[in-house]
PDB file of all heavy atoms in Angstrom:
ATOM      1  N   HIS A 391      23.688  27.616  -1.362  1.00 46.00           N
ATOM      2  CA  HIS A 391      24.665  26.734  -0.698  1.00 46.00           C
ATOM      3  C   HIS A 391      25.546  26.022  -1.681  1.00 46.00           C
ATOM      4  O   HIS A 391      26.114  24.995  -1.330  1.00 46.00           O
ATOM      5  CB  HIS A 391      23.899  25.726   0.160  1.00 46.00           C
ATOM      6  CG  HIS A 391      23.013  26.349   1.187  1.00 46.00           C
ATOM      7  ND1 HIS A 391      23.487  26.978   2.303  1.00 46.00           N
ATOM      8  CD2 HIS A 391      21.657  26.481   1.214  1.00 46.00           C
ATOM      9  CE1 HIS A 391      22.474  27.457   3.024  1.00 46.00           C
ATOM     10  NE2 HIS A 391      21.343  27.155   2.370  1.00 46.00           N
ATOM     11  N   ARG A 392      25.634  26.478  -2.887  1.00 45.00           N
ATOM     12  CA  ARG A 392      26.479  25.785  -3.854  1.00 45.00           C
ATOM     13  C   ARG A 392      27.952  26.014  -3.567  1.00 45.00           C
ATOM     14  O   ARG A 392      28.792  25.165  -3.836  1.00 45.00           O
ATOM     15  CB  ARG A 392      26.136  26.252  -5.272  1.00 45.00           C
ATOM     16  CG  ARG A 392      24.842  25.683  -5.797  1.00 45.00           C
ATOM     17  CD  ARG A 392      24.587  26.113  -7.214  1.00 45.00           C
ATOM     18  NE  ARG A 392      23.348  25.516  -7.699  1.00 45.00           N
ATOM     19  CZ  ARG A 392      22.846  25.748  -8.896  1.00 45.00           C
ATOM     20  NH1 ARG A 392      23.485  26.593  -9.724  1.00 45.00           N
ATOM     21  NH2 ARG A 392      21.714  25.201  -9.278  1.00 45.00           N
ATOM     22  N   ALA A 393      28.309  27.193  -3.081  1.00 46.00           N
ATOM     23  CA  ALA A 393      29.713  27.500  -2.842  1.00 46.00           C
ATOM     24  C   ALA A 393      30.111  27.005  -1.460  1.00 46.00           C
ATOM     25  O   ALA A 393      30.422  27.758  -0.553  1.00 46.00           O
ATOM     26  CB  ALA A 393      29.971  28.994  -2.961  1.00 46.00           C
ATOM     27  N   VAL A 394      30.007  25.697  -1.250  1.00 46.00           N
ATOM     28  CA  VAL A 394      30.381  25.086   0.008  1.00 46.00           C
ATOM     29  C   VAL A 394      31.825  24.650  -0.089  1.00 46.00           C
ATOM     30  O   VAL A 394      32.204  23.875  -0.989  1.00 46.00           O
ATOM     31  CB  VAL A 394      29.462  23.892   0.325  1.00 46.00           C
ATOM     32  CG1 VAL A 394      29.887  23.243   1.615  1.00 46.00           C
ATOM     33  CG2 VAL A 394      28.016  24.346   0.407  1.00 46.00           C
ATOM     34  N   LEU A 395      32.638  25.115   0.823  1.00 47.00           N
ATOM     35  CA  LEU A 395      34.066  24.843   0.765  1.00 47.00           C
ATOM     36  C   LEU A 395      34.419  23.748   1.728  1.00 47.00           C
ATOM     37  O   LEU A 395      33.655  23.385   2.618  1.00 47.00           O
ATOM     38  CB  LEU A 395      34.834  26.128   1.097  1.00 47.00           C
ATOM     39  CG  LEU A 395      34.485  27.343   0.241  1.00 47.00           C
ATOM     40  CD1 LEU A 395      35.330  28.525   0.672  1.00 47.00           C
ATOM     41  CD2 LEU A 395      34.690  27.041  -1.239  1.00 47.00           C
ATOM     42  N   SER A 396      35.589  23.229   1.577  1.00 51.00           N
ATOM     43  CA  SER A 396      36.092  22.187   2.464  1.00 51.00           C
ATOM     44  C   SER A 396      36.394  22.798   3.824  1.00 51.00           C
ATOM     45  O   SER A 396      36.868  23.910   3.936  1.00 51.00           O
ATOM     46  CB  SER A 396      37.349  21.559   1.858  1.00 51.00           C
ATOM     47  OG  SER A 396      37.897  20.642   2.758  1.00 51.00           O
ATOM     48  N   PRO A 397      36.152  22.063   4.902  1.00 52.00           N
ATOM     49  CA  PRO A 397      36.474  22.607   6.238  1.00 52.00           C
ATOM     50  C   PRO A 397      37.967  22.753   6.474  1.00 52.00           C
ATOM     51  O   PRO A 397      38.382  23.450   7.412  1.00 52.00           O
ATOM     52  CB  PRO A 397      35.857  21.579   7.197  1.00 52.00           C
ATOM     53  CG  PRO A 397      35.722  20.353   6.389  1.00 52.00           C
ATOM     54  CD  PRO A 397      35.465  20.783   4.985  1.00 52.00           C
ATOM     55  N   THR A 398      38.778  22.114   5.631  1.00 55.00           N
ATOM     56  CA  THR A 398      40.238  22.237   5.800  1.00 55.00           C
ATOM     57  C   THR A 398      40.819  23.342   4.937  1.00 55.00           C
ATOM     58  O   THR A 398      42.058  23.452   4.821  1.00 55.00           O
ATOM     59  CB  THR A 398      40.895  20.898   5.431  1.00 55.00           C
ATOM     60  OG1 THR A 398      40.563  20.578   4.074  1.00 55.00           O
ATOM     61  CG2 THR A 398      40.415  19.787   6.341  1.00 55.00           C
ATOM     62  N   ALA A 399      39.980  24.132   4.289  1.00 51.00           N
ATOM     63  CA  ALA A 399      40.513  25.214   3.436  1.00 51.00           C
ATOM     64  C   ALA A 399      41.155  26.286   4.297  1.00 51.00           C
ATOM     65  O   ALA A 399      40.685  26.592   5.402  1.00 51.00           O
ATOM     66  CB  ALA A 399      39.389  25.820   2.605  1.00 51.00           C
ATOM     67  N   PRO A 400      42.273  26.912   3.863  1.00 53.00           N
ATOM     68  CA  PRO A 400      42.928  27.949   4.665  1.00 53.00           C
ATOM     69  C   PRO A 400      42.104  29.221   4.716  1.00 53.00           C
ATOM     70  O   PRO A 400      41.431  29.608   3.774  1.00 53.00           O
ATOM     71  CB  PRO A 400      44.243  28.181   3.918  1.00 53.00           C
ATOM     72  CG  PRO A 400      43.961  27.778   2.521  1.00 53.00           C
ATOM     73  CD  PRO A 400      42.981  26.639   2.610  1.00 53.00           C
TER      74      PRO A 400
END
Side-chain angles (χ1 to χ4, degrees):
H391 302 287
R392 286 183 179 178
V394 179
L395 305 180
S396 175
T398 59

